[in-house]
Amino acid sequence: MSDSSATIPEPAHQADTIGRIAELIGGDPMSRLDTDMKHVLDALAELGARPLEQATPASARRQPKAADAIAGILALQTREAADDGVSAEDIAVETGEDTSLPARLYRPLGLLSRLNPMILYFHGGGFVTGDLDTHDASARALARRTGAIVVSVAYRLAPEHKFPAAHDDAWASWRWLIAKARELGGDPRRLAIAGEDAGANLAANVALRARKERITQPLHQLLIHPIAGSDLTTPSYGATLRVRPIGLAAMRWRFRHLFEDAEQIKDTRIDLVARDDWRGVAPATIVLAEIDPLRSEGEALAEALEAAHVPVNCWVYDGVTQGFFGLGVLVTKALFAQGDAADALSKAFMSDRRG
């Protein structure tokens, strides 16, 4: 499989200069890591995880992940992760007559025999890495804390499948969930959508398209540090020049592998903040990490939704980086974020008990 990549047209020297100035003014952003987050990232480095920009997509997918770091820390502390009361089953999401995607169905304790709320979840990884296992903890947390059935979908990744393959998969998955909800014990009128970085971008696009095509819309969209812009010179990009695990260089790497044509970065499916058609989409909760190149565009997306009179909550969690949401076993800020997200989703489910 070819590992070719597009050359993203960007003022690299400008972004680098902004980054260095930001570091001179504000100091090294990694010095602002909270203790929990630093512990996980240090353990990940000790396992040999390399910066994405130094890896190929294939090697990046094989290297240690945050879940491995968590497991190593717990082992050193002679601790075991507590049973969360959520069962998981691998399934397939049918996206065509002869095509399907791997998926995982999460069922928390206390489900009704039918008409339970459901969440369609898309993992993170910048469209190039990530899978059902890397974000298992996020999906489990959402199921446990909301009491909803969660379906996590492994959409196709770049560079093997360039943009917009993942977006096509996300839309097909939403249509599948609408059709299959009752069969799975869910309530087709109480469906929500969620995702992290690339997955959050997919979730937002599903909400937009569902509104446009006038089919079942999600009651709520949970967007965790979404990829929502094409400007790599925003303040948060400038302040995360050398941040790990995901800084400016890693985001450039992701985009190079995602697009066949570099101009596609300006497509409004990626550049969500450039859109002016948000009115009428589902209410949103946006969860952002302080030390993340995506923070500024996440804030801009919240402003765009608010300007379109879409109800939106936007929270920035200090001292953590992109990918923190599923680390609740060790990172306290992740527990806060999970609780806030679950509260927003649960309120959305409670607001509509038709059926």
Side-chain angles (χ1 to χ4, degrees):
M1 187 68 66
S2 172
D3 194 28
S4 62
S5 56
T7 300
I8 301 302
E10 54 185 318
H13 62 284
Q14 180 182 349
D16 293 346
T17 300
I18 292 171
R20 293 188 181 96
I21 292 172
E23 287 186 1
L24 286 173
I25 295 172
D28 179 4
M30 297 299 285
S31 68
R32 298 196 295 276
L33 284 173
D34 74 13
T35 303
D36 296 341
M37 193 77 226
K38 185 176 186 304
H39 194 187
V40 174
L41 293 182
D42 287 348
L44 187 58
E46 289 173 4
L47 290 175
R50 301 170 58 200
L52 286 183
E53 60 271 21
Q54 298 177 12
T56 65
S59 63
R61 294 168 192 162
R62 291 193 301 267
Q63 69 177 0
K65 309 295 190 298
D68 301 313
I70 293 283
I73 292 169
L74 293 179
L76 286 173
Q77 296 175 348
T78 63
R79 292 171 53 195
E80 292 185 4
D83 183 3
D84 59 9
V86 176
S87 66
E89 174 189 359
D90 286 341
I91 62 171
V93 168
E94 298 161 5
T95 55
E97 287 189 9
D98 300 309
T99 58
S100 64
L101 299 169
R104 191 166 291 164
L105 182 70
Y106 297 86
R107 296 179 179 273
L109 290 173
L111 288 177
L112 302 173
S113 60
R114 63 188 186 93
L115 297 181
N116 298 281
M118 299 190 76
I119 301 168
L120 183 63
Y121 169 83
F122 300 114
H123 65 76
F127 296 107
V128 181
T129 63
D131 56 35
L132 299 178
D133 293 330
T134 60
H135 289 70
D136 178 76
S138 291
R140 285 181 173 278
L142 291 176
R144 177 173 61 85
R145 287 175 170 269
T146 64
I149 299 170
V150 175
V151 179
S152 177
V153 178
Y155 50 89
R156 289 173 294 170
L157 299 177
E160 296 88 348
H161 305 282
K162 299 282 190 176
F163 172 81
H167 290 77
D168 294 340
D169 289 347
W171 179 244
S173 298
W174 180 247
R175 292 180 63 88
W176 175 90
L177 185 68
I178 293 168
K180 293 288 186 179
R182 289 187 185 275
E183 182 180 320
L184 296 171
D187 183 348
R189 295 187 178 183
R190 290 198 292 158
L191 306 179
I193 198 154
E196 300 184 44
D197 61 85
N201 177 280
L202 298 177
N205 274 282
V206 167
L208 281 160
R209 189 167 175 181
R211 188 277 322 272
K212 179 181 178 181
E213 299 198 7
R214 298 184 178 182
I215 71 168
T216 301
Q217 295 189 56
L219 288 181
H220 202 82
Q221 44 180 331
L222 170 62
L223 311 178
I224 302 164
H225 45 67
I227 291 176
S230 62
D231 182 1
L232 306 191
T233 65
T234 62
S236 61
Y237 265 105
T240 55
L241 187 63
R242 287 180 280 273
V243 160
R244 58 185 171 93
I246 303 297
L248 171 61
M251 288 304 302
R252 286 176 177 163
W253 179 90
R254 287 170 161 181
F255 288 139
R256 283 198 302 270
H257 290 297
L258 175 60
F259 302 120
E260 195 72 59
D261 177 353
E263 287 299 308
Q264 289 176 315
I265 195 172
K266 299 175 183 177
D267 189 295
T268 54
R269 285 169 288 185
I270 298 296
D271 197 7
L272 296 175
V273 299
R275 302 184 70 123
D276 60 3
D277 60 345
W278 289 104
R279 187 179 292 272
V281 300
T285 294
I286 300 177
V287 170
L288 304 175
E290 177 201 4
I291 309 170
D292 180 5
L294 301 177
R295 191 193 71 245
S296 292
E297 61 201 56
E299 293 168 336
L301 179 59
E303 292 173 1
L305 289 167
E306 190 172 49
H309 305 289
V310 176
V312 58
N313 294 311
C314 181
W315 292 298
V316 180
Y317 297 86
D318 294 338
V320 293
T321 68
Q322 189 179 133
F324 82 102
F325 186 82
L327 306 180
V329 173
L330 289 175
V331 178
T332 302
K333 296 286 177 60
L335 292 177
F336 295 161
Q338 291 171 8
D340 290 337
D343 183 59
L345 288 164
S346 297
K347 287 178 179 176
F349 292 140
M350 290 292 290
S351 71
D352 193 331
R353 286 187 167 277
R354 294 168 296 171

